[in-house]
Amino acid sequence: MASSRILRSLGLYLVAFVVLAVIIVPLTFSVLGGFRTNIQLVESPVGWPDPWVGSNYTAILRSGAFWRQVRNSTVIALLTAGIVLPAASLAAYVIARYRFRGREAVYGLFTLGLLFPVAVAILPLFITLRQINLLNNPFGVALPQAAFGLPLSIVVMRPFFRAIPREVQDAASIDGCGPFRLYWSVMLPLSRPVLSTIAVITVVGSWNGFFLPLLVLTDPNQHTLPIGVNNISAQYSTDYARVLAYTTLAMVPALLFYALAERQIVSGLTGAVKE
């Protein structure tokens, strides 16, 4: 019995080590590659920087285009989260706490949205955005991203709202809370972990979005960081060190955001599984 437990633990550690290596190795190569020259990369692709070259990073950090793309990505990510959180929380609250005809059908419709990829709707989406003059507009990216983010957000939020004891809702109703007051004053404060989780997932998903911003934002001044990485890869196709440095700097905000919000993500998803 003890030996099987040890073998199981060793297997889990082995899997964790392999997954960690798959993530860490390319990330380390990208970070260190930005501190090297192209000659170093060609002569020794996996070698240590010798000497260390910081000009690749400093040149990008002094670039106005880079910081403009950071600003554009931040604005779109915040807009997307600002749409997803109230819309998803209201929908999940109603589906979880109130009984009405077709409730499960509505919830099933949202879950089907998880199977609907952005690429399938890209042509009608582009035509619609052009007709309502949202091309080269942050809302032209944020609104579709929010729409495609709603299914997952509702699926994650619903168990949280359902797990809140019925007695809490009854006590609030006795005190005179209507449906919206109950949602605003009781349900939302109790659901901060899952709201934080959805906010992190939405922001990082928007930050990493490439296909939709590439389609909607044709003005270079509106480009986001993923598009900037694509542009610099084409512009400096043979300057591998600069491309690696740009890619590393583009990853830093999302990695920092994940690191700072890791506890919220774990607690939010764990609470959703408990139901």
Side-chain angles (χ1 to χ4, degrees):
M1 186 70 177
S3 60
S4 64
R5 189 180 300 112
I6 293 174
L7 289 175
R8 190 181 303 111
S9 298
L10 288 175
L12 290 175
Y13 280 115
L14 179 61
V15 172
F17 178 78
V18 171
V19 172
L20 184 64
V22 170
I23 297 173
I24 293 297
V25 169
L27 185 61
T28 304
F29 176 80
S30 178
V31 173
L32 295 179
F35 286 104
R36 307 176 71 192
T37 63
N38 290 317
I39 296 176
Q40 293 179 29
L41 286 171
V42 172
E43 292 179 348
S44 179
V46 294
W48 200 258
D50 184 25
W52 289 72
V53 179
S55 58
N56 294 316
Y57 286 103
T58 55
I60 295 170
L61 291 174
R62 289 196 298 263
S63 170
F66 174 78
W67 292 109
R68 185 169 60 248
Q69 291 162 9
V70 171
R71 182 198 64 198
N72 293 338
S73 293
T74 303
V75 169
I76 292 173
L78 293 178
L79 284 174
T80 304
I83 297 170
V84 167
L85 287 176
S89 59
L90 278 168
Y93 163 66
V94 172
I95 293 173
R97 305 300 301 189
Y98 293 94
R99 297 183 179 276
F100 55 89
R101 183 177 298 177
R103 182 180 69 168
E104 294 304 320
V106 172
Y107 180 67
L109 186 62
F110 279 116
T111 58
L112 286 176
L114 296 172
L115 307 176
F116 194 73
V118 180
V120 174
I122 205 68
L123 180 58
L125 187 59
F126 176 81
I127 295 173
T128 302
L129 293 174
R130 185 178 60 184
Q131 289 176 343
I132 60 178
N133 296 320
L134 283 183
L135 295 181
N136 290 316
N137 189 313
F139 279 100
V141 180
L143 287 173
Q145 283 185 162
F148 284 97
L150 281 176
L152 177 62
S153 303
I154 292 172
V155 168
V156 174
M157 284 185 180
R158 188 197 188 201
F160 257 85
F161 286 119
R162 292 190 66 178
I164 296 174
R166 184 74 186 182
E167 291 78 7
V168 174
Q169 182 174 346
D170 294 339
S173 300
I174 292 173
D175 290 338
C177 283
F180 185 77
R181 178 75 181 277
L182 175 67
Y183 159 79
W184 183 260
S185 301
V186 179
M187 296 298 176
L188 285 187
L190 293 175
S191 303
R192 285 178 183 171
V194 72
L195 292 174
S196 301
T197 300
I198 295 302
V200 172
I201 293 174
T202 302
V203 168
V204 175
S206 173
W207 187 275
N208 293 329
F210 173 73
F211 191 34
L212 187 60
L214 180 65
L215 179 75
V216 176
L217 306 174
T218 57
D219 183 358
N221 292 325
Q222 297 289 338
H223 283 176
T224 58
L225 265 179
I227 302 177
V229 172
N230 180 71
N231 292 342
I232 201 168
S233 299
Q235 183 179 356
Y236 299 96
S237 57
T238 57
D239 193 349
Y240 309 115
R242 182 183 289 262
V243 172
L244 289 174
Y246 201 100
T247 303
T248 300
L249 290 175
M251 289 188 296
V252 167
L255 292 176
L256 287 177
F257 196 50
Y258 258 133
L260 295 174
E262 176 189 2
R263 187 170 299 177
Q264 293 292 339
I265 296 173
V266 173
S267 62
L269 293 179
T270 303
V273 172
K274 282 182 179 178
E275 189 201 10

